[in-house]
Short mmCIF file of all heavy atoms in Angstrom, two decimals:
data_model
loop_
_atom_site.label_atom_id
_atom_site.label_comp_id
_atom_site.label_asym_id
_atom_site.label_seq_id
_atom_site.Cartn_x
_atom_site.Cartn_y
_atom_site.Cartn_z
N LYS O 84 -10.16 22.04 -31.68
CA LYS O 84 -9.39 23.25 -32.14
C LYS O 84 -8.50 22.87 -33.40
O LYS O 84 -8.33 23.69 -34.32
CB LYS O 84 -8.45 23.84 -31.13
CG LYS O 84 -9.12 25.04 -30.42
CD LYS O 84 -10.15 24.88 -29.47
CE LYS O 84 -11.54 24.68 -29.91
NZ LYS O 84 -12.48 24.31 -28.82
N LEU O 179 -30.42 12.47 -24.08
CA LEU O 179 -31.65 13.13 -24.51
C LEU O 179 -32.65 12.01 -24.65
O LEU O 179 -32.35 11.03 -25.40
CB LEU O 179 -31.37 13.90 -25.75
CG LEU O 179 -32.39 15.00 -26.20
CD1 LEU O 179 -32.48 16.11 -25.14
CD2 LEU O 179 -31.88 15.59 -27.58
N ILE O 208 -28.08 18.87 -32.74
CA ILE O 208 -29.15 19.13 -31.76
C ILE O 208 -28.52 20.00 -30.68
O ILE O 208 -27.61 19.54 -29.94
CB ILE O 208 -29.74 17.87 -31.14
CG1 ILE O 208 -30.14 16.84 -32.22
CG2 ILE O 208 -30.90 18.22 -30.22
CD1 ILE O 208 -30.65 15.56 -31.65
N GLY O 209 -28.89 21.28 -30.62
CA GLY O 209 -28.42 22.23 -29.59
C GLY O 209 -27.45 23.21 -30.23
O GLY O 209 -26.40 22.93 -30.80
N ALA O 210 -27.80 24.53 -30.07
CA ALA O 210 -27.03 25.63 -30.62
C ALA O 210 -26.18 26.20 -29.49
O ALA O 210 -26.07 27.41 -29.31
CB ALA O 210 -27.86 26.72 -31.23
N GLY O 211 -25.48 25.34 -28.69
CA GLY O 211 -24.61 25.74 -27.70
C GLY O 211 -23.15 25.73 -28.25
O GLY O 211 -23.02 25.73 -29.50
N VAL O 212 -22.17 25.75 -27.31
CA VAL O 212 -20.78 25.88 -27.82
C VAL O 212 -20.33 24.70 -28.64
O VAL O 212 -19.78 24.89 -29.73
CB VAL O 212 -19.90 26.02 -26.51
CG1 VAL O 212 -18.49 26.34 -26.92
CG2 VAL O 212 -20.40 27.06 -25.58
N ILE O 213 -20.60 23.53 -28.20
CA ILE O 213 -20.21 22.34 -28.96
C ILE O 213 -20.92 22.28 -30.32
O ILE O 213 -20.23 22.04 -31.30
CB ILE O 213 -20.48 21.03 -28.20
CG1 ILE O 213 -19.58 20.98 -26.93
CG2 ILE O 213 -20.23 19.73 -29.01
CD1 ILE O 213 -19.75 19.68 -26.11
N GLY O 214 -22.21 22.46 -30.35
CA GLY O 214 -22.94 22.43 -31.60
C GLY O 214 -22.46 23.34 -32.62
O GLY O 214 -22.31 23.06 -33.73
N GLU O 216 -19.43 25.08 -32.64
CA GLU O 216 -18.06 24.83 -33.03
C GLU O 216 -17.92 23.67 -34.03
O GLU O 216 -17.38 23.83 -35.15
CB GLU O 216 -17.17 24.56 -31.79
CG GLU O 216 -16.79 25.80 -30.99
CD GLU O 216 -15.76 25.55 -29.92
OE1 GLU O 216 -15.30 24.43 -29.71
OE2 GLU O 216 -15.38 26.54 -29.29
N ILE O 231 -30.75 22.40 -34.79
CA ILE O 231 -32.10 22.47 -34.16
C ILE O 231 -31.90 22.98 -32.67
O ILE O 231 -31.10 22.31 -31.93
CB ILE O 231 -32.84 21.12 -34.09
CG1 ILE O 231 -32.96 20.58 -35.62
CG2 ILE O 231 -34.22 21.32 -33.52
CD1 ILE O 231 -33.62 19.23 -35.64
N GLU O 232 -32.56 24.03 -32.32
CA GLU O 232 -32.36 24.63 -30.99
C GLU O 232 -33.64 24.85 -30.24
O GLU O 232 -34.61 25.40 -30.88
CB GLU O 232 -31.51 26.00 -31.10
CG GLU O 232 -31.53 26.82 -29.77
CD GLU O 232 -30.91 26.05 -28.59
OE1 GLU O 232 -29.90 25.53 -28.65
OE2 GLU O 232 -31.65 26.25 -27.53
N PHE O 233 -33.71 24.42 -29.01
CA PHE O 233 -34.94 24.52 -28.21
C PHE O 233 -35.36 25.95 -28.00
O PHE O 233 -36.50 26.33 -28.10
CB PHE O 233 -34.60 23.82 -26.93
CG PHE O 233 -35.81 23.77 -26.00
CD1 PHE O 233 -36.83 22.85 -26.18
CD2 PHE O 233 -35.89 24.61 -24.89
CE1 PHE O 233 -37.92 22.77 -25.33
CE2 PHE O 233 -37.00 24.58 -24.06
CZ PHE O 233 -38.06 23.68 -24.25
N LEU O 234 -34.41 26.77 -27.76
CA LEU O 234 -34.67 28.21 -27.48
C LEU O 234 -34.83 29.06 -28.71
O LEU O 234 -34.63 28.47 -29.85
CB LEU O 234 -33.61 28.79 -26.52
CG LEU O 234 -33.38 28.18 -25.24
CD1 LEU O 234 -32.13 28.66 -24.52
CD2 LEU O 234 -34.63 28.27 -24.31
N VAL O 236 -32.82 31.59 -29.19
CA VAL O 236 -31.53 32.20 -29.37
C VAL O 236 -30.41 31.16 -29.34
O VAL O 236 -30.63 30.12 -28.79
CB VAL O 236 -31.22 33.29 -28.21
CG1 VAL O 236 -32.06 34.45 -28.32
CG2 VAL O 236 -31.35 32.59 -26.85
N THR O 238 -26.49 29.99 -28.17
CA THR O 238 -25.66 30.19 -27.02
C THR O 238 -26.26 30.88 -25.89
O THR O 238 -25.94 32.03 -25.52
CB THR O 238 -24.32 30.95 -27.42
OG1 THR O 238 -24.68 32.18 -28.02
CG2 THR O 238 -23.50 30.22 -28.40
N PRO O 239 -27.22 30.17 -25.22
CA PRO O 239 -28.00 30.75 -24.11
C PRO O 239 -26.96 31.31 -23.02
O PRO O 239 -25.94 30.73 -22.72
CB PRO O 239 -28.78 29.57 -23.53
CG PRO O 239 -28.37 28.39 -24.29
CD PRO O 239 -27.67 28.76 -25.53
N ALA O 264 -37.33 24.74 -31.28
CA ALA O 264 -37.79 23.40 -31.60
C ALA O 264 -37.24 22.41 -30.68
O ALA O 264 -36.03 22.46 -30.28
CB ALA O 264 -37.35 23.10 -33.04
N ALA O 265 -38.11 21.52 -30.24
CA ALA O 265 -37.61 20.44 -29.25
C ALA O 265 -37.51 19.15 -30.04
O ALA O 265 -38.49 18.64 -30.58
CB ALA O 265 -38.63 20.31 -28.12
N VAL O 266 -36.36 18.56 -29.98
CA VAL O 266 -36.13 17.30 -30.65
C VAL O 266 -36.83 16.20 -29.77
O VAL O 266 -36.66 16.14 -28.55
CB VAL O 266 -34.63 16.94 -30.76
CG1 VAL O 266 -34.40 15.50 -31.12
CG2 VAL O 266 -34.07 17.87 -31.80
N ALA O 299 -25.67 17.75 -28.91
CA ALA O 299 -24.85 18.64 -28.14
C ALA O 299 -25.75 19.51 -27.24
O ALA O 299 -25.95 20.66 -27.48
CB ALA O 299 -24.02 19.60 -29.12
N THR O 300 -26.38 18.82 -26.32
CA THR O 300 -27.33 19.44 -25.50
C THR O 300 -26.90 19.51 -24.04
O THR O 300 -27.71 19.49 -23.08
CB THR O 300 -28.72 18.65 -25.53
OG1 THR O 300 -28.47 17.24 -25.27
CG2 THR O 300 -29.37 18.85 -26.95
N GLY O 301 -25.65 19.66 -23.86
CA GLY O 301 -25.12 19.90 -22.57
C GLY O 301 -24.34 18.69 -21.95
O GLY O 301 -24.34 17.59 -22.54
N ARG O 302 -23.75 18.89 -20.80
CA ARG O 302 -22.94 17.90 -20.18
C ARG O 302 -23.38 17.79 -18.74
O ARG O 302 -23.90 18.77 -18.15
CB ARG O 302 -21.40 18.10 -20.28
CG ARG O 302 -20.91 18.12 -21.75
CD ARG O 302 -19.45 18.40 -21.77
NE ARG O 302 -18.62 17.43 -21.18
CZ ARG O 302 -18.17 16.33 -21.79
NH1 ARG O 302 -18.43 16.08 -23.08
NH2 ARG O 302 -17.40 15.44 -21.15
N PRO O 347 -19.47 27.03 -14.57
CA PRO O 347 -19.36 26.73 -15.99
C PRO O 347 -18.35 25.55 -16.24
O PRO O 347 -17.44 25.41 -15.56
CB PRO O 347 -18.73 28.02 -16.56
CG PRO O 347 -18.10 28.77 -15.38
CD PRO O 347 -18.89 28.33 -14.22
N MET O 348 -18.79 24.67 -17.23
CA MET O 348 -17.92 23.52 -17.44
C MET O 348 -16.85 23.96 -18.45
O MET O 348 -16.97 23.73 -19.63
CB MET O 348 -18.79 22.44 -18.03
CG MET O 348 -19.74 21.79 -17.06
SD MET O 348 -20.57 20.36 -17.61
CE MET O 348 -21.18 19.67 -16.07
N LEU O 349 -15.84 24.57 -17.87
CA LEU O 349 -14.78 25.09 -18.71
C LEU O 349 -13.43 24.64 -18.20
O LEU O 349 -13.21 24.61 -16.89
CB LEU O 349 -14.76 26.62 -18.74
CG LEU O 349 -16.02 27.25 -19.32
CD1 LEU O 349 -16.04 28.76 -19.01
CD2 LEU O 349 -16.10 27.01 -20.77
N HIS O 351 -10.48 25.96 -18.18
CA HIS O 351 -9.74 26.96 -17.39
C HIS O 351 -10.31 27.21 -16.05
O HIS O 351 -9.56 27.51 -15.07
CB HIS O 351 -9.45 28.25 -18.21
CG HIS O 351 -10.72 28.69 -18.92
ND1 HIS O 351 -11.12 28.21 -20.08
CD2 HIS O 351 -11.57 29.69 -18.59
CE1 HIS O 351 -12.22 28.83 -20.46
NE2 HIS O 351 -12.59 29.77 -19.57
N VAL O 379 -15.02 31.34 -24.24
CA VAL O 379 -14.59 31.58 -25.68
C VAL O 379 -15.28 30.52 -26.58
O VAL O 379 -15.24 29.35 -26.24
CB VAL O 379 -13.10 31.56 -25.84
CG1 VAL O 379 -12.67 31.74 -27.27
CG2 VAL O 379 -12.43 32.64 -24.99
N ILE O 380 -15.80 30.99 -27.69
CA ILE O 380 -16.31 30.02 -28.66
C ILE O 380 -15.26 30.18 -29.89
O ILE O 380 -15.12 31.25 -30.40
CB ILE O 380 -17.68 30.23 -29.13
CG1 ILE O 380 -18.61 30.34 -27.90
CG2 ILE O 380 -18.23 29.11 -30.09
CD1 ILE O 380 -20.04 30.58 -28.25
N TYR O 381 -14.65 29.01 -30.25
CA TYR O 381 -13.60 29.13 -31.28
C TYR O 381 -13.96 28.95 -32.71
O TYR O 381 -13.33 28.30 -33.48
CB TYR O 381 -12.52 28.15 -30.88
CG TYR O 381 -11.97 28.30 -29.49
CD1 TYR O 381 -12.56 27.83 -28.38
CD2 TYR O 381 -10.82 29.15 -29.30
CE1 TYR O 381 -12.14 28.11 -27.09
CE2 TYR O 381 -10.33 29.39 -28.03
CZ TYR O 381 -10.93 28.84 -26.96
OH TYR O 381 -10.55 29.14 -25.70
P1 NAI Z 1134 -24.51 23.97 -24.02
O1 NAI Z 1134 -25.26 23.98 -22.70
O2 NAI Z 1134 -23.63 24.98 -24.41
O3 NAI Z 1134 -25.79 24.09 -25.15
C1 NAI Z 1134 -26.74 23.12 -25.28
C2 NAI Z 1134 -27.91 23.69 -26.11
O4 NAI Z 1134 -28.78 22.62 -26.41
C3 NAI Z 1134 -28.72 24.76 -25.46
O5 NAI Z 1134 -28.72 25.89 -26.32
C4 NAI Z 1134 -30.03 24.14 -25.20
O6 NAI Z 1134 -31.09 25.05 -25.29
C5 NAI Z 1134 -30.11 23.14 -26.34
N1 NAI Z 1134 -31.04 22.01 -26.17
C6 NAI Z 1134 -31.22 21.29 -25.00
N2 NAI Z 1134 -32.21 20.29 -25.27
C7 NAI Z 1134 -32.62 20.44 -26.54
C8 NAI Z 1134 -33.53 19.69 -27.31
N3 NAI Z 1134 -34.20 18.65 -26.85
N4 NAI Z 1134 -33.81 20.12 -28.71
C9 NAI Z 1134 -33.09 21.16 -29.16
N5 NAI Z 1134 -32.15 21.90 -28.43
C10 NAI Z 1134 -31.94 21.47 -27.09
O7 NAI Z 1134 -24.02 22.53 -24.21
P2 NAI Z 1134 -22.93 21.92 -25.15
O8 NAI Z 1134 -22.74 22.74 -26.38
O9 NAI Z 1134 -23.28 20.48 -25.25
O10 NAI Z 1134 -21.54 22.03 -24.35
C11 NAI Z 1134 -21.41 21.29 -23.10
C12 NAI Z 1134 -20.44 22.00 -22.17
O11 NAI Z 1134 -19.17 21.98 -22.73
C13 NAI Z 1134 -20.81 23.49 -21.94
O12 NAI Z 1134 -20.82 23.68 -20.59
C14 NAI Z 1134 -19.69 24.26 -22.59
O13 NAI Z 1134 -19.36 25.36 -21.92
C15 NAI Z 1134 -18.57 23.24 -22.67
N6 NAI Z 1134 -17.76 23.53 -23.80
C16 NAI Z 1134 -17.03 24.62 -23.88
C17 NAI Z 1134 -16.25 24.87 -25.06
C18 NAI Z 1134 -15.52 26.17 -25.06
O14 NAI Z 1134 -15.40 26.85 -24.02
N7 NAI Z 1134 -15.04 26.59 -26.24
C19 NAI Z 1134 -16.18 24.00 -26.15
C20 NAI Z 1134 -17.07 22.87 -26.00
C21 NAI Z 1134 -17.75 22.58 -24.85
#
Side-chain angles (χ1 to χ4, degrees):
K84 258 78 274 173
L179 198 58
I208 312 178
V212 188
I213 293 181
E216 283 189 356
I231 305 179
E232 167 57 49
F233 183 77
L234 302 172
V236 291
T238 56
V266 167
T300 51
R302 297 179 64 88
M348 289 186 166
L349 297 170
H351 43 281
V379 179
I380 308 179
Y381 298 87

